[in-house]
């Protein structure tokens, strides 16, 4: 099988390299108001997200409730509980930052576009994939800050849950609701121009990643991470992905799911959204120079999940063609 590098993953690597080479350009004292541009871009991303959501399809998707319950349980409960098991091993402040980055990754919602695309390739249950990926994004607005709040509040940081939800309401939820209200008028147009809207999403995400890493490199946050730490983080990410993947498959068989439903459960239940993660990190860790470290496991997980799920989806598609 020929391995293809995802263009977006390559773009992330280039952006991080540029941040390393020119940290002052995107830092707090940089010439461009990247923070304001990112905030406006975030609101537009979620406005278009709401615009593309079909209320009719959402209602129809509620029928397969066992599948939805499994996916959301894995996404918002199993992932964080696995990471929570390693909390007693924290011994230094650097360990705590990396562990928080993993908790942040684990508490994020599933990704929409790639989940649906990969389920489609593997011949899974596409309507249920659309429903789960969409509802996951909405649930994440509430659940992700709650998980982080349990530990950021305990550390006596400036983590005001009320303030966080106010920002999420203004920058994320309000645009989604506005998009949903306008779906009947502009929904078809949003679907027609989905390719360009996806490109816009990725551009804003790359801008936020660039600014985050510029600040982190400028503050020398990554000086505490060496090659050995990076290897441990990468190994932990692989283990986390496969543990949830096989656990989701085992539970699917236990519940008597069809092959199509099992594929959807495993693909949607193991994905984490880089879009939501980048947006939430900007809001949850807005005053932190270590946002680059917070995003590091997520970016590595995103890259690996694209490679792994693409490989699995292609293999499943070939198996179906041969049968």
């Amino acid at each position: 099988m020929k391995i293809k590098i995802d263009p977006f993953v390559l773009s992330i690597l280039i952006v991080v390299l540029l941040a390393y080479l020119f940290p002052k350009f995107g830092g707090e004292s940089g010439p461009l108001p990247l923070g304001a541009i990112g905030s406006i871009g975030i609101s537009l991303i979620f406005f278009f997200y709401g615009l593309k959501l079909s209320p009719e399809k959402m209602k129809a998707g509620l029928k397969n409730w066992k599948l939805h319950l499994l996916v959301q349980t894995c996404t918002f409960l199993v992932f964080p509980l696995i990471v929570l098991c390693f909390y007693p091993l924290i011994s230094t402040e650097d360990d705590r930052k990396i562990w928080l980055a993993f908790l942040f990754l684990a508490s994020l919602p599933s990704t929409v576009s790639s989940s649906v695309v990969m389920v489609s390739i593997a011949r899974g249950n596409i309507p249920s994939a659309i429903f789960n990926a969409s509802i996951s994004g909405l649930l994440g607005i509430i659940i992700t800050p709650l998980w982080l709040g349990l530990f950021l509040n305990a550390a006596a940081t400036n983590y005001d849950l009320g303030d966080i939800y106010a920002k999420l309401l203004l920058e994320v939820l309000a645009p989604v609701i506005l998009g949903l209200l306008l779906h009947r008028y502009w929904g078809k147009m949003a679907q027609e121009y989905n390719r360009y809207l996806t490109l816009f999403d990725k551009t804003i995400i790359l801008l936020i990643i660039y600014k985050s890493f510029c600040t982190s490199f400028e503050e020398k946050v990554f000086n505490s991470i060496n090659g050995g730490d990076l290897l441990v983080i990468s190994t932990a990410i692989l283990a986390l992905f496969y543990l949830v993947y096989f656990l989701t498959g085992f539970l699917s068989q236990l519940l008597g799911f069809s092959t199509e439903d099992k594929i959807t459960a495993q693909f949607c239940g193991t994905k984490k959204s880089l879009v939501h993660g980048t947006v939430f990190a900007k809001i949850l860790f807005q005053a932190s120079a270590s946002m680059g470290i917070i995003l590091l496991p997520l970016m590595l997980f995103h890259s690996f999940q694209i490679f792994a799920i693409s490989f699995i989806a292609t293999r499943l598609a070939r198996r179906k063609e041969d049968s």
Side-chain angles (χ1 to χ4, degrees):
M1 177 183 174
K2 189 177 180 181
I3 298 175
K4 295 181 180 180
I5 298 176
D6 184 86
F8 187 48
V9 172
L10 186 60
S11 299
I12 291 172
L13 294 175
I14 293 171
V15 161
V16 173
L17 178 62
L18 288 173
Y20 176 73
L21 295 173
F22 310 105
K24 291 186 178 180
F25 187 81
E28 295 300 325
S29 58
L32 295 175
L34 297 183
I37 295 171
S39 295
I40 295 169
I42 285 168
S43 296
L44 287 173
I45 285 174
F46 281 90
F47 169 71
F48 295 136
Y49 174 61
L51 206 60
K52 290 183 283 185
L53 280 176
S54 169
E56 293 78 18
K57 288 181 180 177
M58 294 284 283
K59 289 177 184 176
L62 284 168
K63 295 176 182 177
N64 201 350
W65 64 271
K66 284 185 181 179
L67 172 58
H68 308 326
L69 186 61
L70 175 61
V71 171
Q72 302 310 321
T73 299
C74 287
T75 302
F76 292 115
L77 190 60
V78 174
F79 259 109
L81 287 177
I82 291 172
V83 174
L84 204 60
C85 291
F86 294 88
Y87 184 68
L89 300 179
I90 296 173
S91 57
T92 66
E93 182 59 27
D94 290 336
D95 289 345
R96 184 180 172 278
K97 285 179 183 177
I98 294 172
W99 182 84
L100 268 177
F102 270 91
L103 180 65
F104 177 62
L105 161 67
S107 64
L108 286 172
S110 178
T111 181
V112 178
S113 56
S114 62
S115 288
V116 176
V117 170
M118 294 305 169
V119 167
S120 176
I121 291 172
R123 315 283 178 84
N125 187 331
I126 298 173
S128 290
I130 294 171
F131 175 86
N132 272 291
S134 301
I135 201 70
S136 179
L138 297 175
L139 290 172
I141 296 171
I142 300 170
I143 298 174
T144 303
L146 283 176
W147 271 114
L148 269 294
L150 292 174
F151 297 92
L152 290 179
N153 274 332
T157 62
N158 296 322
Y159 189 87
D160 185 343
L161 203 56
D163 185 51
I164 293 298
Y165 277 123
K167 285 185 170 64
L168 285 170
L169 178 66
L170 183 65
E171 292 188 27
V172 177
L173 193 56
V176 170
I177 293 171
L178 181 61
L180 280 168
L181 293 174
L182 295 174
H183 172 81
R184 59 185 295 184
Y185 304 108
W186 295 343
K188 287 184 179 179
M189 186 175 69
Q191 291 297 338
E192 287 175 11
Y193 291 95
N194 185 55
R195 180 181 174 186
Y196 299 103
L197 295 179
T198 301
L199 182 62
F200 173 78
D201 292 355
K202 291 179 178 179
T203 302
I204 295 297
I205 296 312
L206 289 173
L207 184 147
I208 294 172
I209 289 173
Y210 173 69
K211 177 172 173 51
S212 303
F213 274 79
C214 279
T215 304
S216 294
F217 284 129
E218 202 173 22
E219 298 290 331
K220 304 187 185 311
V221 171
F222 289 106
N223 285 5
S224 60
I225 295 181
N226 53 41
D229 292 331
L230 197 58
L231 180 62
V232 171
I233 291 170
S234 301
T235 304
I237 283 167
L238 265 63
L240 182 62
F241 173 85
Y242 279 115
L243 179 58
V244 178
Y245 182 82
F246 288 117
L247 180 60
T248 310
F250 171 74
L251 292 173
S252 297
Q253 288 182 323
L254 205 65
L255 292 168
F257 285 178
S258 64
T259 303
E260 289 75 16
D261 283 357
K262 181 184 175 185
I263 289 170
T264 301
Q266 288 188 290
F267 282 24
C268 293
T270 55
K271 302 296 277 299
K272 291 294 179 180
S273 174
L274 181 63
V275 173
H276 287 80
T278 310
V279 169
F280 289 174
K282 186 178 183 299
I283 296 172
L284 299 176
F285 302 95
Q286 57 184 335
S288 175
S290 61
M291 205 167 112
I293 288 181
I294 296 297
L295 287 175
L296 181 61
L298 174 59
M299 291 192 301
L300 292 173
F301 189 91
H302 174 80
S303 303
F304 179 74
Q305 74 183 9
I306 288 176
F307 170 76
I309 294 295
S310 298
F311 179 82
I312 295 167
T314 305
R315 191 185 63 188
L316 288 170
R318 285 176 180 171
R319 184 179 297 176
K320 288 228 171 193
E321 288 171 1
D322 295 339
S323 61

